Amino acid sequence: MTVEENAVSNQEARYSITSNISYIYQVYCSYILVYRNVDKRGDFMNAEFLKKSLTELTRKYYKPVAGWFNINEEYGIDVVVTNDKFNDPPFATQTLNMSYDEAMEQVRASNDQLFVPHGPLPFIEPDNQNIPMVLVKMSYLESNEAAVMGITYHHSLMDGSAFWLFMYNWANLAAQMATQDQDPHIEYTIPCPPSFGVPSLSHLHDPSAKFDHTEYTIVDSSDCSRVFKPGTDTIKENILHISIEEQHKLRDMAKKYNVSFTAIICAVIWKEMSQIRVDARPSSKTLPSLFTCAVNPRASLGLSPLLCASPVVNLATTKTLGELAEMDLEDVAKLVLQTITKGTSAYVCSSMDFLVTQRATEIEDEKLGRDGKKIMLAYVRPAPAKCTISSSRNFPIYQTDFGFGSPEYVRPPYLPFDGCMRIWPTPQSKGNGLTNKEAPLEVYLSLPDYVDLSKSSLLRPFVTTVDDSDIKDVS
């Protein structure tokens, strides 16, 4: 939701998401959270209780999550909220006859068919607007050793930052409801009350600034895709473990090169995997490698970190594999930093304008029934090589305690597409409130099976702790 709320009546409100930077990435994102029942409580993560607290959260604090997508008369996409009708998140349950260790094995293997709720197609079309915003599936082990939560949300409504605040708020609300009398007159509170609707950003526009928005690509309508398209290589998921000691080394390196910690992690992995590709296939030296990094622009736009929306922008740059292999690590790190910091307010506003202008052209083509061009995110399109970064290390992922303890393990989605890389916190990062204490990190990285990361002296310390059960191979 990236413009002000449009109150239609006392019974209905609309939030426009058409100019939302991530609206064109119309997909469901899913996670799996494992909660261990150490004390073998009989009411552990009770489904009825969780569903009740979720309903309380969405209807009172997150009304758009209980709303509907709607294509308005101007072909814009809105979220419609009503006071007397709710699109409550679907909530499913199942009981599994498996041990805790067996369940964990399936979670680590990212068995989304078993644990994750699946909704309708996520594409917002005139004949597909009744789309759930959030879906939940609880799996209970017959042994009562654990409960597994699979949760799915629509990316056009929330980005990762907004989603994990949603989860943090839900967990805190549920914990309150679990410890207080179920009195309908009790006013519960949540720690991070969300806001909705982005105020006008016109004062941030700079007409004199011209940008090359390489994060997007314009293609024939028949070639346009809102989701990742697989390539021809067999993709293997690598899980890298970065210890506290190794993080200190990386931070020293970042300080030496005058770049950020995130930039040095990205630079090391992008450069080293490019070198490995070239060594394995010398003819690939001239092939381009697209680097993109998902960046939260709330701070640069002066927006509240509590804004529930999906404004994330994917900033991009390109080098050939040969160039990356030959560049000094310092130069790659500075290129990465330059890329992920170019998302100034003027740049983000220009990106929004680019999207709105292109959408107007697409709508005109649709009205006239002609096959025109469409916009898509560059990293979604197949390419010879990609490094697509998102970092969740500062999200309150392991602070989602529903009153039964923090999750034992949270599994990000497995994405079988070349170059997908997620920087992820570990269970040791619970910390206090929203602040993660110093803890190991994990990096989930999908690459062609011929890219052996252990061949890199810089990456080898992260790879050596990975056993065979941590690596997923998909043909």
Side-chain angles (χ1 to χ4, degrees), residues 256-331:
K256 175 183 177 182
Y257 297 152
N258 196 27
V259 299
S260 66
F261 179 59
T262 298
I264 198 64
I265 292 178
C266 296
V268 167
I269 293 177
W270 190 26
K271 173 177 170 55
E272 293 302 294
M273 70 183 190
S274 299
Q275 181 69 66
I276 295 168
R277 287 177 188 265
V278 170
D279 291 343
R281 297 180 177 178
S283 61
S284 68
K285 288 181 64 174
T286 58
L287 297 178
S289 177
L290 174 69
F291 174 90
T292 56
C293 185
V295 174
N296 177 355
R298 288 172 175 80
S300 65
L301 296 175
L303 302 175
S304 167
L306 304 183
L307 174 68
C308 184
S310 188
V312 63
V313 60
N314 290 276
L315 303 172
T317 191
T318 302
K319 286 287 183 180
T320 67
L321 291 173
E323 288 173 332
L324 289 164
E326 294 172 3
M327 290 172 67
D328 292 334
L329 178 59
E330 179 179 3
D331 293 332

Side-chain angles (χ1 to χ4, degrees), residues 204-240:
L204 298 176
H205 287 252
D206 183 357
S208 65
K210 304 298 180 183
F211 301 102
D212 182 14
H213 290 289
T214 55
E215 65 267 28
Y216 305 114
T217 183
I218 306 296
V219 299
D220 292 335
S221 57
S222 58
D223 294 330
C224 184
S225 176
R226 301 303 189 207
V227 297
F228 281 109
K229 287 186 175 181
T232 57
D233 289 316
T234 298
I235 301 299
K236 178 180 68 176
E237 183 180 56
N238 305 268
I239 304 178
L240 309 183

Side-chain angles (χ1 to χ4, degrees), residues 31-36 100 103-111 146-149 164 237 239 241 397-398 400 405-414 424-428 430 442 444 469-470:
Y31 300 93
I32 305 173
L33 299 85
V34 180
Y35 292 85
R36 191 160 194 179
Y100 172 78
M104 281 297 292
E105 183 179 353
Q106 293 299 316
V107 171
R108 291 189 182 280
S110 192
N111 189 339
V148 181
M149 176 186 288
W164 285 108
E237 183 180 56
I239 304 178
H241 301 262
I397 293 171
Y398 283 95
T400 49
S406 297
E408 187 83 1
Y409 175 63
V410 181
R411 181 56 157 100
Y414 167 61
W424 198 252
T426 56
Q428 295 94 319
K430 294 174 185 176
E442 290 182 328
Y444 291 75
S469 65
D470 283 333

Side-chain angles (χ1 to χ4, degrees), residues 350-369:
S350 173
S351 184
M352 288 181 174
D353 289 344
F354 186 80
L355 282 174
V356 170
T357 301
Q358 180 57 32
R359 179 167 174 78
T361 300
E362 293 176 14
I363 290 171
E364 186 66 21
D365 289 338
E366 291 174 5
K367 287 180 178 178
L368 297 176

